[in-house]
Amino acid sequence: SDKTMIVWNLTTGEKRFPPLLGHTDQVQSVAITPDGQHLVSAAYDNSLKVWDLKTGKEWLGWHAHAAPVLAVAISPDAQWLVSASRDTTIKVWQMNLPVQKATADFGHTSKVSAIALTPTADEVMACSSSGSFKSWNRQTGETRTIAQMPTRIDAAAIAPDGSQAILGLRGSRVQWARLTPFSLQELTYDPLAKRFSLAAISANHHTAAAMSSQGTLIVFDIASSSPETTGMKFDFQPPYLSSLAISAAKKQLVLGLPTGNIKGLCLETR
């Protein structure tokens, strides 16, 4: 919420650069290109910015939406990026130029919780907090509803290739969704959790995690057709986590706290 970003070396715990400055309001979402060369940030100032991770300098920046930008994702070939806004639109941009290539109004009546691009970057997967899963074909402009969940989605994470998602549903449930074709499998039900407020999924689809509003972090093994908890459960004291991510190699959970601190949890030694 201090409008800055910090890039960390997960091996040494050191900052790679001074804080990245440029946004004029809270940074809501970030994504890193698969080659690790650039970072894209989305913020409440309605803008998108692209940063050079070799120098820590802003490479591109532009006014992207008419309202705060809530989520951003990058195509596997790093040629395209997609952004979702509180203005209910989703836009596709050319990565190396701030040129809008397509836009869609998904008809969501609430904020978009998560977005992803399929490997060819032709289709955008999106889900909203109201429980709707939709896809949009960038080439044809066709929008279709994949599924309508029976309850509100409090947390969601879609795999970078758009094939799977982890959902924290109102009613203290965490569910694993395969999106093409759509199927749903319950991972856990915890009546004491009240709700799950954060979710994450690894790029290789092996690991998922969810954080409850009561401070319990659960890690799941979803590599098989019969997913189960890994036995990893962490109970945090207030203030609870404000963000959650899994490293590309699935070796670490990266945790963001409201205090401004970042913590890493190794998934291989516990």
Side-chain angles (χ1 to χ4, degrees):
S1 60
D2 65 1
K3 311 169 191 175
T4 70
M5 291 159 289
I6 298 176
V7 180
W8 301 86
N9 184 313
L10 293 182
T11 301
T12 64
E14 297 178 348
K15 298 177 183 178
R16 289 188 59 184
F17 319 105
L20 306 183
L21 304 174
H23 284 293
T24 58
D25 207 336
Q26 174 180 321
V27 177
Q28 179 67 16
S29 178
V30 297
I32 296 176
T33 55
D35 61 9
Q37 298 299 305
H38 295 92
L39 179 148
V40 179
S41 57
Y44 267 56
D45 60 10
N46 307 352
S47 75
L48 291 170
K49 292 185 181 295
V50 182
W51 306 81
D52 187 333
L53 290 183
K54 290 182 179 179
T55 64
K57 303 296 184 181
E58 182 180 330
W59 184 44
L60 293 169
W62 66 97
H63 184 92
H65 287 270
V69 189
L70 303 178
V72 65
I74 301 170
S75 64
D77 63 3
Q79 297 300 306
W80 306 92
L81 65 91
V82 59
S83 58
S85 169
R86 187 168 285 171
D87 65 12
T88 75
T89 64
I90 291 175
K91 295 182 179 182
V92 177
W93 308 84
Q94 189 173 333
M95 182 70 181
N96 62 348
L97 292 169
V99 176
Q100 181 185 334
K101 290 298 182 180
T103 187
D105 187 339
F106 272 49
H108 288 304
T109 57
S110 58
K111 71 176 184 179
V112 174
S113 305
I115 53 175
L117 279 161
T118 56
T120 61
D122 286 335
E123 197 165 18
V124 178
M125 299 291 187
C127 71
S128 72
S129 58
S130 63
S132 65
F133 258 103
K134 296 186 179 184
S135 71
W136 169 51
N137 188 296
R138 180 175 61 86
Q139 302 290 351
T140 66
E142 177 188 4
T143 300
R144 63 185 178 93
T145 298
I146 301 172
Q148 176 63 51
M149 308 303 294
T151 185
R152 183 178 177 84
I153 299 175
D154 289 319
I158 302 177
D161 64 1
S163 66
Q164 303 178 36
I166 297 300
L167 310 174
L169 301 181
R170 184 64 53 90
S172 307
R173 284 179 160 83
V174 177
Q175 298 197 333
W176 175 35
R178 294 173 178 147
L179 302 183
T180 51
F182 187 83
S183 65
L184 206 59
Q185 188 167 348
E186 186 161 296
L187 295 180
T188 191
Y189 168 64
D190 184 355
L192 299 178
K194 293 187 178 178
R195 68 186 183 93
F196 285 89
S197 54
L198 297 172
I201 184 171
S202 63
N204 59 12
H205 311 155
H206 288 178
T207 308
M211 178 78 180
S212 80
S213 59
Q214 301 301 298
T216 299
L217 175 65
I218 306 174
V219 182
F220 304 95
D221 178 3
I222 57 172
S224 69
S225 58
S226 300
E228 59 184 17
T229 62
T230 63
M232 294 188 193
K233 183 179 283 190
F234 307 90
D235 291 315
F236 289 84
Q237 299 298 316
Y240 301 137
L241 304 183
S242 58
S243 59
L244 173 65
I246 302 174
S247 65
K250 75 146 188 168
K251 295 180 180 179
Q252 285 183 308
L253 282 172
V254 183
L255 316 174
L257 285 78
T259 57
N261 295 325
I262 300 290
K263 290 187 177 182
L265 288 175
C266 183
L267 298 178
E268 290 191 333
T269 60
R270 184 175 171 86

